[in-house]
């Protein structure tokens, strides 16, 4: 005899199990524990499992069950399940970067500090958000609003629901706690979850969040208009490497000492009162140690932010990272081209966003756009992509906890934007610190890198807050050298506090710094 049982899930997702009644002892008939390799043979409604494979342990990962599947027609996911005896009862989803386009799980890469969630016993999932392509490619969105909706918010939500359903059926019990970790696009996904789907996760960590796509896009295009005014010449940025070095040296000379230690790291760039216009202006007979008028204008746009109709619609970048290959080099002024013919990541993401999502026009010319109709042009995209809602009351009611963090020297997504969102939430809800915290990482580039300590056990931090009520006021960030050894540890302090050097201790040790406002 065969038993047919259907278990309905959220969002209309269900599974129909066809199993032998002889295989289930009567006392355990209510506990449906589907073995790894049997997951693929079960009949699922709303999604399919393409493969379910028992993976042996190796030097990088413990033994686990790897499940890949597809929701609807295009949303692919990969779910990694610890062995039943190793599962800690918890689930964590990792975000994706850029326009995603492949199975991405930042919980297993960027956030695998000091070890991956799988090693800790977490079940974990990632998704391609419903399309395939390079992280800087948005051609998939041309005349495809369904894909834009999936990318904007739906894919993460339904992937979380499907993963939870499979986890419950595989282990035969409910999940104790659920988490989400993301940075960049993944940080924006994290914020979107807290706003649109507040019941999906108990704890969320949003790093360097791309939460205001239309504002970020305006900033990218205006910077690139100043940096590459001639679209036929994308090899020679207005701000040359020499000019970047001049600017970086001048800023550090003026302000590096303000946090109490001279180490090439600005503790809080807002304390630096350096003015780029104080640098000499190049004349016809000088080419070194000065900025040309065009370079001054471009630098001004970078620090000023995106302006539409005389109003700043997205803030500019703070000082720091001007001469770093991963700062201005990769994101602003070339030097680390992501693809041939694409000078930097701001250029890539900005033009792709405007061509394939905002205007649905592959021939759109960034140099001809004057932003006079920007608000109307971007209204539809903003409704799909932006996670700018500052009302987190539903997330609060659900018991959720949200951590925002970003690097001060991030030239992909300005720290000023993340600070602005945080402060807007506090203005709306003065008690928001009960569920929301912000941490700023001095000298850290986009999600990682730079001279500052960039590695934090964010999964452990958010788990401690959610499960043990340990609201974070000070977390420890580490910096590893080329050989992998820790070279520096410093505290990151819950905003608005910042780490200050005590003046006597070893600046490479966290105990030499105190948190103060």
């Amino acid at each position: 005899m065969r038993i047919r049982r259907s278990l309905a899930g959220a969002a209309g997702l269900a599974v129909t199990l066809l199993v032998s009644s002889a295989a289930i002892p009567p006392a355990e008939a209510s506990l449906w524990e589907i073995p790894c390799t049997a997951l693929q043979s079960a009949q699922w409604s709303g999604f399919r499992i393409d493969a379910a494979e028992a993976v042996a342990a190796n030097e990088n990962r413990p033994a686990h069950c790897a499940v890949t599947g597809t929701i609807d027609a295009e949303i692919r996911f990969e779910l990694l399940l610890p062995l039943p005896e190793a599962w800690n009862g918890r689930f964590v989803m990792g975000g994706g970067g850029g326009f995603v386009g492949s199975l991405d799980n930042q919980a297993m890469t960027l956030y695998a500090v000091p070890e991956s969630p799988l090693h800790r016993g977490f079940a974990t999932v990632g998704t391609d958000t419903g399309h395939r392509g390079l992280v800087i490619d948005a051609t998939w969105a041309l005349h495809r609003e369904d894909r834009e909706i999936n990318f904007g918010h739906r894919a993460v939500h339904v992937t979380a629901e499907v993963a939870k359903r499979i986890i419950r059926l595989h282990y035969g019990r409910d999940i104790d706690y659920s988490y989400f970790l993301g940075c960049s696009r993944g940080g924006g996904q994290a914020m979107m979850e807290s706003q649109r789907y507040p019941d999906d996760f108990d704890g969320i960590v949003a790093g360097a969040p791309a939460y205001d796509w239309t504002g970020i896009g305006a900033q990218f295009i205006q910077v690139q208009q100043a940096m590459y005014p001639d679209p036929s010449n994308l090899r020679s940025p207005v701000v040359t490497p020499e000019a970047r070095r001049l600017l970086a040296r001048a800023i550090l000379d003026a302000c590096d000492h303000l946090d109490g230690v001279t180490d090439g790291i600005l503790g809080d760039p807002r304390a630096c009162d350096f003015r780029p216009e104080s640098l000499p202006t190049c004349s016809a007979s000088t080419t070194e140690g000065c900025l040309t008028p065009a370079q001054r204008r471009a630098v001004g746009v970078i620090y000023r932010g995106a302006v539409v109709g005389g109003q700043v619609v997205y803030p500019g970048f703070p000082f720091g990272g001007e001469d770093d290959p991963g700062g201005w080099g990769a994101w602003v002024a070339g030097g680390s081209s992501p693809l041939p013919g694409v000078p930097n990541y701001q250029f890539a993401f900005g033009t792709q966003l405007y061509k394939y999502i905002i205007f649905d026009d592959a021939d759109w010319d960034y140099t001809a756009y004057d932003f006079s109709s920007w608000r109307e042009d971007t209204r539809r995209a903003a409704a799909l992509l932006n996670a700018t809602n500052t009302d987190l009351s539903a997330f609060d009611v659900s018991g959720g906890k949200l951590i925002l963090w970003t690097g001060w020297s991030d030239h992909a997504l300005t720290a000023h934007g993340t600070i602005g969102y945080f402060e807007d939430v506090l203005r709306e809800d003065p008690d928001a610190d009960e569920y929301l915290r912000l941490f700023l990482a001095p000298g850290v580039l986009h999600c990682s890198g730079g001279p500052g300590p960039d590695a934090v056990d964010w999964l452990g931090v958010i788990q401690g807050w959610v499960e043990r009520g340990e609201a974070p006021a000070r977390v420890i960030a580490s910096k590893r050298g080329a050989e992998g050894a820790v070279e520096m540890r410093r505290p990151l302090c819950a905003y608005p506090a910042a780490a200050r050097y005590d003046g006597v201790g070893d600046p490479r040790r966290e105990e030499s710094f105190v948190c103060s406002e």
Side-chain angles (χ1 to χ4, degrees), residues 67-71 75-79 103 125-127 159 162 166:
V67 179
T68 55
T70 306
I71 304 167
I75 303 172
R76 296 187 305 150
F77 66 90
E78 180 184 57
L79 174 63
L103 292 174
V125 74
T127 177
T159 297
V162 166
I166 295 171

Side-chain angles (χ1 to χ4, degrees), residues 20-31:
S20 170
S21 61
I24 305 176
E28 301 177 7
S30 61
L31 300 178

Side-chain angles (χ1 to χ4, degrees), residues 93-96 106 110-111 180-187 190 205-208 405:
M93 184 170 186
Q106 293 171 334
L110 176 69
Y111 285 101
F180 187 97
L181 306 177
C183 193
S184 190
R185 171 60 188 145
V205 178
W405 74 269

